[in-house]
């Protein structure tokens, strides 16, 4: 609609004549988007973007839908016709229109408040997790990986649930087969995604989604939140398997975000567009123009021999490899979207080369193509908003990658990002966050996901660095989140503060989208903080989240996998690993490296520091921290259910204990 209507002078004249037009960036102001998208869904039965909603001066919606064509077609009115008719209705009887809008808001409030929030006593987390697992098992694509038909999204929230389901249940005799199947689905899917065209094999990183079931032809937009969550997944897969394939993809993502999305002062930009100019002298942007190749281009850049090898491996041909049905606007004719159609060994067999020779050619070819692409083709537009929530997901991804790869540059990037948020998007005097930064901080206050995702990131960052400033900041943010967003009557967290008068109905979200729901992330944060800082009220609030979303957990848990995952954590509790000793001792470094390689969703690591913030809150840590001055070698304590075992000094014994 942007090109068809909003940039059309005739449409613009009508809009400006009859309406006050407000364009909302749903990434910058998700509270507005959520409210009016819910209105669209309730009034029409479906939703989607672009979204156009007509409001009264009091912001009450009275008409709206997703896409409108500019002109009348197939018996349906176009956007221009609707604009004129609605203007006529308003002029004829504005009070009737106002009444309709007020009535709709009242109906929305009644619908939202009617959701039951009964006791969670009847909820069985084991059965709920099993039901969620079987739903994904039944929708799994055994040929191409992923879940359901095209279009296919990477669905990182679902994959993370399956990873955790495997870890929790791999040693449970009655469900160990399901657990292994869960991991198999994850690893197969991650490999297929990495091999597909959704992965930018030349420019690194991942596109938004695949238009086909094979992960071949993507929508070429790149989003920061996808890179962040996929980084966590590939890092976890590497820790679980030790397969270099997963480590290589993790490094690939870090290369992309640090090169193409990184702000010079820290923080990461939001996205890169799907379309761009194919050449510097072109006038029309095309989908995927920055990423696709004609075979003749490959020959010119790589030469006959190398282009032949490259084309075999990445599925390129003279006619292009995009099905015309996937190219309705004819933007990809004769173009090739690169995907790994053959393994290195298969390519070597076809070309009569050794695998080493093939790999050398492919590596050199990718470098040449990136150099050409960067110089000869204009880059897609970059959305230079730095969003607190998405940057927080990136910090979490970087910490996971650091623990998997043990590269100090990675953790430094995570620390730099956290410091950027503290410096530019946080007010320490009020402990409040801002939503975004673009050439300076915005004036939009943070939403619940900004708080929940940043708190999660800081908790991960603490466990990777044992710098207590991160845990202290996480605590301050959690206190502020509780103050601004918590529902004291029904439990759970609203997505906007009560101070935001532009939002007529405060809503709570439990269903996951491209990111995990804020309530699911908060549930994990509360459990973690209640253990680290011995705050019983946090555990009470965590249980309140479960009660608030009993209906979703009992009726359609597959729609809330992150919440189910967090519910499993609430049930199982943490395995706390408390390290005592001098942090700079090389033997302590050995202990921390061992801990970092343990991939368990209920792992909690604390470095006991005498006089530190944690020891001031946690009586057990305080007692152990006192031992620090008397212990002459590093020790580890394994604590569960508020009780700690005997100190462990031996490295091998420590490894064995962690793996139990």
């Amino acid at each position: 609609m942007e090109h068809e209507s909003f940039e059309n002078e005739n449409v613009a004249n009508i809009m400006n004549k009859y309406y006050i037009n407000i364009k909302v960036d749903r990434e910058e102001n998700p509270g507005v988007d959520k409210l009016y998208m819910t209105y669209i869904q309730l009034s029409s039965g479906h939703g989607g973007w672009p979204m156009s909603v007509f409001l009264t001066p009091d912001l009450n919606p009275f008409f709206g839908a997703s896409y409108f064509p500019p002109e009348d077609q197939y018996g349906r009115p176009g956007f221009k016709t609707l604009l004129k008719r609605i203007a006529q209705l308003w002029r004829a009887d504005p009070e009737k229109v106002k009444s309709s809008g007020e009535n709709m808001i009242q109906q929305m409030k009644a619908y939202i408040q009617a959701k039951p929030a009964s006791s969670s006593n009847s909820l069985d987390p084991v059965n709920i997790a099993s039901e969620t697992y079987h739903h994904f098992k039944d929708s799994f694509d055994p040929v191409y990986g992923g879940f359901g038909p095209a279009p296919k999204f990477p669905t990182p929230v679902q994959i993370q649930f399956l990873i955790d389901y495997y870890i929790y249940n791999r040693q449970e005799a009655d469900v160990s087969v399901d657990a292994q199947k869960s991991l198999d689905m994850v690893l197969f899917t991650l490999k297929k995604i990495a091999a597909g065209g959704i992965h930018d094999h030349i420019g690194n990183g991942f596109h938004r989604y695949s238009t086909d079931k094979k992960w071949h032809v993507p929508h070429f937009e790149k989003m920061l939140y996808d890179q962040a969550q996929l980084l966590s997944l590939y890092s976890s897969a590497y820790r679980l398997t030790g397969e270099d394939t997963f480590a290589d993809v993790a490094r690939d993502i870090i290369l992309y975000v640090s090169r193409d999305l990184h702000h010079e002062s820290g923080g990461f930009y939001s996205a890169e567009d799907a379309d761009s100019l194919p050449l510097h002298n072109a006038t029309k942007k095309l989908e995927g123009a920055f990423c696709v190749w004609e075979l003749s281009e490959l020959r010119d850049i790589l030469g006959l021999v190398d282009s032949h090898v490259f084309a075999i491996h990445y599925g390129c041909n003279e006619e292009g490899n995009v099905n015309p049905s996937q190219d309705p606007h004819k933007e990809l004719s004769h173009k090739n979207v690169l995907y790994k159609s053959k393994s290195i060994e298969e390519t070597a067999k076809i070309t009569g080369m050794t695998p080493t020779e093939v790999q050398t050619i492919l590596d050199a070819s990718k470098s040449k193509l990136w150099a050409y692409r960067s110089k000869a083709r204009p880059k897609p537009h970059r959305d230079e908003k730095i969003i607190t929530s998405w940057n927080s997901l990136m910090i979490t991804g970087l910490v996971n990658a650091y623990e998997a790869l043990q590269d100090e540059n990675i953790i430094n990037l995570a620390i730099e990002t956290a410091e950027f948020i503290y410096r530019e998007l946080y007010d320490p005097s009020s402990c409040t966050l801002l939503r975004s930064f673009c050439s300076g901080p915005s004036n939009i206050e943070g939403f619940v996901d900004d708080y929940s995702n940043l708190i999660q990131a800081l908790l991960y960052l603490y466990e990777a660095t044992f710098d207590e400033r991160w845990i202290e900041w996480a605590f301050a943010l959690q206190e502020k989140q509780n103050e601004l967003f918590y529902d004291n009557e029904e439990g759970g967290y609203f997505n906007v503060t009560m101070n935001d008068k532009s939002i007529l109905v405060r809503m709570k979200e439990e269903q996951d989208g491209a990111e995990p729901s804020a309530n699911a992330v908060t549930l994990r944060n509360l459990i973690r903080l209640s253990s680290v800082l011995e705050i019983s009220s946090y555990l009470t609030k965590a249980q309140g989240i479960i009660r608030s979303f009993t209906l979703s957990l009992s009726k359609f848990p597959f729609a809330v996998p992150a919440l189910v995952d967090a519910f499993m954590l609430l049930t199982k509790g943490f395995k706390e690993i408390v390290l005592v000793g001098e942090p700079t001792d090389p033997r302590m470094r050995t202990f921390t490296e061992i801990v970092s390689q343990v991939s368990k969703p209920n792992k909690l690591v604390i470095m006991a520091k005498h006089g530190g913030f944690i020891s001031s809150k946690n009586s057990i840590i305080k007692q152990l921290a006192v031992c620090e001055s008397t212990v002459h070698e590093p020790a580890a304590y394994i604590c569960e259910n508020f009780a700690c075992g005997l100190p462990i000094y031996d490295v091998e014994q420590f490894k064995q204990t962690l793996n139990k």
Side-chain angles (χ1 to χ4, degrees), residues 272-283:
E272 286 189 310
D273 283 357
D275 58 354
S276 60
L277 296 173
L279 298 169
H280 287 285
N281 60 355
T283 57

PDB file of all heavy atoms in Angstrom, residues 272-283:
ATOM      1  N   GLU A 272      17.506  -4.750   7.465  1.00  0.00           N
ATOM      2  CA  GLU A 272      17.806  -4.335   6.096  1.00  0.00           C
ATOM      3  C   GLU A 272      16.630  -4.738   5.219  1.00  0.00           C
ATOM      4  O   GLU A 272      16.063  -5.824   5.385  1.00  0.00           O
ATOM      5  CB  GLU A 272      19.091  -4.994   5.590  1.00  0.00           C
ATOM      6  CG  GLU A 272      20.350  -4.414   6.191  1.00  0.00           C
ATOM      7  CD  GLU A 272      21.608  -4.937   5.524  1.00  0.00           C
ATOM      8  OE1 GLU A 272      21.732  -6.173   5.376  1.00  0.00           O
ATOM      9  OE2 GLU A 272      22.463  -4.133   5.144  1.00  0.00           O
ATOM     10  N   ASP A 273      16.278  -3.855   4.285  1.00  0.00           N
ATOM     11  CA  ASP A 273      15.117  -4.092   3.426  1.00  0.00           C
ATOM     12  C   ASP A 273      15.323  -5.277   2.491  1.00  0.00           C
ATOM     13  O   ASP A 273      16.468  -5.687   2.215  1.00  0.00           O
ATOM     14  CB  ASP A 273      14.821  -2.853   2.584  1.00  0.00           C
ATOM     15  CG  ASP A 273      14.117  -1.767   3.383  1.00  0.00           C
ATOM     16  OD1 ASP A 273      13.806  -1.999   4.565  1.00  0.00           O
ATOM     17  OD2 ASP A 273      13.891  -0.678   2.809  1.00  0.00           O
ATOM     18  N   ALA A 274      14.212  -5.776   1.974  1.00  0.00           N
ATOM     19  CA  ALA A 274      14.250  -6.890   1.030  1.00  0.00           C
ATOM     20  C   ALA A 274      14.621  -6.425  -0.378  1.00  0.00           C
ATOM     21  O   ALA A 274      15.268  -7.164  -1.128  1.00  0.00           O
ATOM     22  CB  ALA A 274      12.889  -7.591   0.990  1.00  0.00           C
ATOM     23  N   ASP A 275      14.205  -5.215  -0.740  1.00  0.00           N
ATOM     24  CA  ASP A 275      14.428  -4.753  -2.115  1.00  0.00           C
ATOM     25  C   ASP A 275      15.531  -3.702  -2.162  1.00  0.00           C
ATOM     26  O   ASP A 275      15.833  -3.032  -1.174  1.00  0.00           O
ATOM     27  CB  ASP A 275      13.137  -4.208  -2.728  1.00  0.00           C
ATOM     28  CG  ASP A 275      12.534  -3.065  -1.919  1.00  0.00           C
ATOM     29  OD1 ASP A 275      13.052  -2.769  -0.818  1.00  0.00           O
ATOM     30  OD2 ASP A 275      11.544  -2.475  -2.368  1.00  0.00           O
ATOM     31  N   SER A 276      16.134  -3.573  -3.330  1.00  0.00           N
ATOM     32  CA  SER A 276      17.199  -2.599  -3.544  1.00  0.00           C
ATOM     33  C   SER A 276      17.364  -2.389  -5.041  1.00  0.00           C
ATOM     34  O   SER A 276      16.815  -3.138  -5.858  1.00  0.00           O
ATOM     35  CB  SER A 276      18.517  -3.080  -2.920  1.00  0.00           C
ATOM     36  OG  SER A 276      18.917  -4.314  -3.500  1.00  0.00           O
ATOM     37  N   LEU A 277      18.142  -1.400  -5.411  1.00  0.00           N
ATOM     38  CA  LEU A 277      18.434  -1.157  -6.824  1.00  0.00           C
ATOM     39  C   LEU A 277      19.418  -2.213  -7.328  1.00  0.00           C
ATOM     40  O   LEU A 277      20.433  -2.473  -6.665  1.00  0.00           O
ATOM     41  CB  LEU A 277      19.025   0.236  -7.012  1.00  0.00           C
ATOM     42  CG  LEU A 277      18.119   1.415  -6.653  1.00  0.00           C
ATOM     43  CD1 LEU A 277      18.907   2.720  -6.724  1.00  0.00           C
ATOM     44  CD2 LEU A 277      16.910   1.471  -7.578  1.00  0.00           C
ATOM     45  N   PRO A 278      19.171  -2.807  -8.474  1.00  0.00           N
ATOM     46  CA  PRO A 278      20.094  -3.833  -8.972  1.00  0.00           C
ATOM     47  C   PRO A 278      21.449  -3.260  -9.389  1.00  0.00           C
ATOM     48  O   PRO A 278      22.466  -3.948  -9.302  1.00  0.00           O
ATOM     49  CB  PRO A 278      19.349  -4.433 -10.164  1.00  0.00           C
ATOM     50  CG  PRO A 278      18.364  -3.399 -10.577  1.00  0.00           C
ATOM     51  CD  PRO A 278      17.976  -2.676  -9.326  1.00  0.00           C
ATOM     52  N   LEU A 279      21.449  -2.011  -9.846  1.00  0.00           N
ATOM     53  CA  LEU A 279      22.687  -1.335 -10.252  1.00  0.00           C
ATOM     54  C   LEU A 279      22.639   0.113  -9.762  1.00  0.00           C
ATOM     55  O   LEU A 279      21.563   0.648  -9.466  1.00  0.00           O
ATOM     56  CB  LEU A 279      22.847  -1.362 -11.776  1.00  0.00           C
ATOM     57  CG  LEU A 279      22.975  -2.746 -12.436  1.00  0.00           C
ATOM     58  CD1 LEU A 279      22.852  -2.608 -13.948  1.00  0.00           C
ATOM     59  CD2 LEU A 279      24.303  -3.394 -12.059  1.00  0.00           C
ATOM     60  N   HIS A 280      23.772   0.761  -9.719  1.00  0.00           N
ATOM     61  CA  HIS A 280      23.819   2.125  -9.206  1.00  0.00           C
ATOM     62  C   HIS A 280      23.050   3.102 -10.086  1.00  0.00           C
ATOM     63  O   HIS A 280      22.561   4.122  -9.591  1.00  0.00           O
ATOM     64  CB  HIS A 280      25.274   2.580  -9.059  1.00  0.00           C
ATOM     65  CG  HIS A 280      25.980   1.939  -7.904  1.00  0.00           C
ATOM     66  ND1 HIS A 280      25.747   2.307  -6.596  1.00  0.00           N
ATOM     67  CD2 HIS A 280      26.907   0.934  -7.858  1.00  0.00           C
ATOM     68  CE1 HIS A 280      26.503   1.568  -5.785  1.00  0.00           C
ATOM     69  NE2 HIS A 280      27.214   0.729  -6.525  1.00  0.00           N
ATOM     70  N   ASN A 281      22.925   2.798 -11.385  1.00  0.00           N
ATOM     71  CA  ASN A 281      22.204   3.712 -12.277  1.00  0.00           C
ATOM     72  C   ASN A 281      20.750   3.295 -12.481  1.00  0.00           C
ATOM     73  O   ASN A 281      20.040   3.882 -13.296  1.00  0.00           O
ATOM     74  CB  ASN A 281      22.913   3.813 -13.626  1.00  0.00           C
ATOM     75  CG  ASN A 281      23.012   2.460 -14.334  1.00  0.00           C
ATOM     76  OD1 ASN A 281      22.625   1.431 -13.774  1.00  0.00           O
ATOM     77  ND2 ASN A 281      23.532   2.470 -15.552  1.00  0.00           N
ATOM     78  N   ALA A 282      20.293   2.280 -11.769  1.00  0.00           N
ATOM     79  CA  ALA A 282      18.902   1.819 -11.890  1.00  0.00           C
ATOM     80  C   ALA A 282      17.974   2.771 -11.139  1.00  0.00           C
ATOM     81  O   ALA A 282      18.392   3.520 -10.255  1.00  0.00           O
ATOM     82  CB  ALA A 282      18.764   0.402 -11.352  1.00  0.00           C
ATOM     83  N   THR A 283      16.697   2.739 -11.495  1.00  0.00           N
ATOM     84  CA  THR A 283      15.712   3.629 -10.866  1.00  0.00           C
ATOM     85  C   THR A 283      14.635   2.872 -10.106  1.00  0.00           C
ATOM     86  O   THR A 283      13.895   3.466  -9.329  1.00  0.00           O
ATOM     87  CB  THR A 283      15.033   4.498 -11.938  1.00  0.00           C
ATOM     88  OG1 THR A 283      14.428   3.651 -12.923  1.00  0.00           O
ATOM     89  CG2 THR A 283      16.053   5.423 -12.599  1.00  0.00           C
TER      90      THR A 283
END
